[in-house]
Amino acid sequence: MCILKKAKYEMKIERSQNMKPEEMQRLSEMHLAPYMQLATGLIGKARHAGGNMFRHQMDTLAILIDYGYIDSVLLKASVVHDTVEDIPDFDKNLIINADSEGKDVLDLVLEVTRRDDEDKRQFLHRILDTGSQKAKILKCADRISNMISLGYVTDPTFIERYCDETEFFLLPMALEIDFNMYQELITLIMTRRRYLEDGGYFCDTKKKSTPPKA
């Protein structure tokens, strides 16, 4: 008999189309500028799909707001979530001292930062298995941004691997925390795989993997 594992968090279903006045007030009172300043250190870090990592931080922030998340620690962490991993010798105290929430922001950033002893699969396994709710929300928003950018990538092997990774790790993660994020990730996987199918990638791969007849 199959026993379904109970989700650790209650999945968010609703998605408001307009920001409520109280949410706008909370957003206006947040001190995001110090974190944005730290994130400018990522401007010189190019992305596989073009652009740079600073823009990706801002994109992740926008995705979270789009999905109705106004938690100050979550939004601040989204602005600097790649700084520790991608800026050489980054001083973590810069985040701690950014404002009164700096320590909590850094803790969340470190949750979604790959450790030195982790490969990519171990990293995603850790967040899926033991990550906090905020870490999973942030990682799903980050992956939505990355999957959208994947539309500008022309390396089919990279696209296939990234789609497989998203299906295996991020879909169950999203299913725990936000049904609308889950739906968008499914759509993004489908469109990216359709691109590979239309380009004949899967046919070419199958030909290469078929051993020649004796």
Side-chain angles (χ1 to χ4, degrees):
M1 180 176 66
C2 178
I3 301 176
L4 294 176
K5 181 181 178 182
K6 184 179 180 181
K8 186 185 298 185
Y9 308 108
E10 183 177 353
M11 183 172 58
K12 182 180 177 182
I13 302 295
E14 79 286 351
R15 182 180 182 185
S16 176
Q17 296 301 311
N18 297 295
M19 187 178 292
K20 298 175 183 177
E22 59 269 25
E23 293 174 333
M24 179 65 76
Q25 181 65 31
R26 286 171 59 194
L27 189 61
S28 69
E29 292 172 355
M30 288 182 202
H31 296 98
L32 293 173
Y35 295 92
M36 290 181 178
Q37 177 64 35
L38 295 178
T40 59
L42 290 163
I43 288 176
K45 184 75 174 179
R47 303 196 75 205
H48 196 69
N52 61 49
M53 291 300 294
F54 172 75
R55 297 182 195 177
H56 168 60
Q57 313 302 290
M58 299 302 106
D59 192 32
T60 305
L61 169 68
I63 289 169
L64 287 170
I65 294 174
D66 179 37
Y67 275 96
Y69 293 101
I70 311 295
D71 179 88
S72 58
V73 171
L74 178 61
L75 296 186
K76 290 171 182 178
S78 73
V79 172
V80 292
H81 73 272
D82 285 316
T83 53
V84 174
E85 187 170 333
D86 288 336
I87 297 178
D89 302 317
F90 180 79
D91 183 0
K92 300 181 184 69
N93 288 315
L94 293 173
I95 295 178
I96 293 175
N97 296 325
D99 69 1
S100 61
E101 292 184 312
K103 177 61 169 62
D104 293 332
V105 172
L106 178 62
D107 288 344
L108 181 52
V109 168
L110 293 178
E111 263 201 272
V112 297
T113 297
R114 198 160 95 184
R115 298 166 183 168
D116 292 338
D117 61 346
E118 291 177 324
D119 60 25
K120 190 67 175 293
R121 292 178 66 85
Q122 290 171 327
F123 163 61
L124 293 173
H125 254 305
R126 171 171 59 80
I127 298 177
L128 178 59
D129 292 343
T130 64
S132 67
Q133 185 176 27
K134 288 180 183 179
K136 292 180 180 183
I137 293 169
L138 178 51
K139 193 59 193 173
C140 286
D142 169 65
R143 182 53 63 113
I144 288 171
S145 172
N146 288 334
M147 287 295 290
I148 292 171
S149 298
L150 201 61
Y152 300 95
V153 176
T154 57
D155 179 353
T157 303
F158 181 89
I159 295 171
E160 182 185 27
R161 178 182 63 77
Y162 213 75
C163 286
D164 290 346
E165 185 181 276
T166 302
E167 180 178 5
F168 190 81
F169 294 106
L170 276 298
L171 288 186
M173 203 181 295
L175 199 54
E176 276 194 43
I177 50 95
D178 195 311
F179 184 67
N180 289 294
M181 283 187 170
Y182 172 76
Q183 288 184 309
E184 182 168 5
L185 284 167
I186 288 178
T187 300
L188 288 166
I189 292 170
M190 291 173 61
T191 56
R192 282 21 178 185
R193 284 182 172 157
R194 191 176 304 126
Y195 165 79
L196 295 177
E197 290 173 0
D198 292 345
Y201 171 73
F202 291 122
C203 293
D204 292 341
T205 303
K206 186 176 181 181
K207 288 177 183 178
K208 291 178 182 178
S209 61
T210 303
K213 293 182 179 179

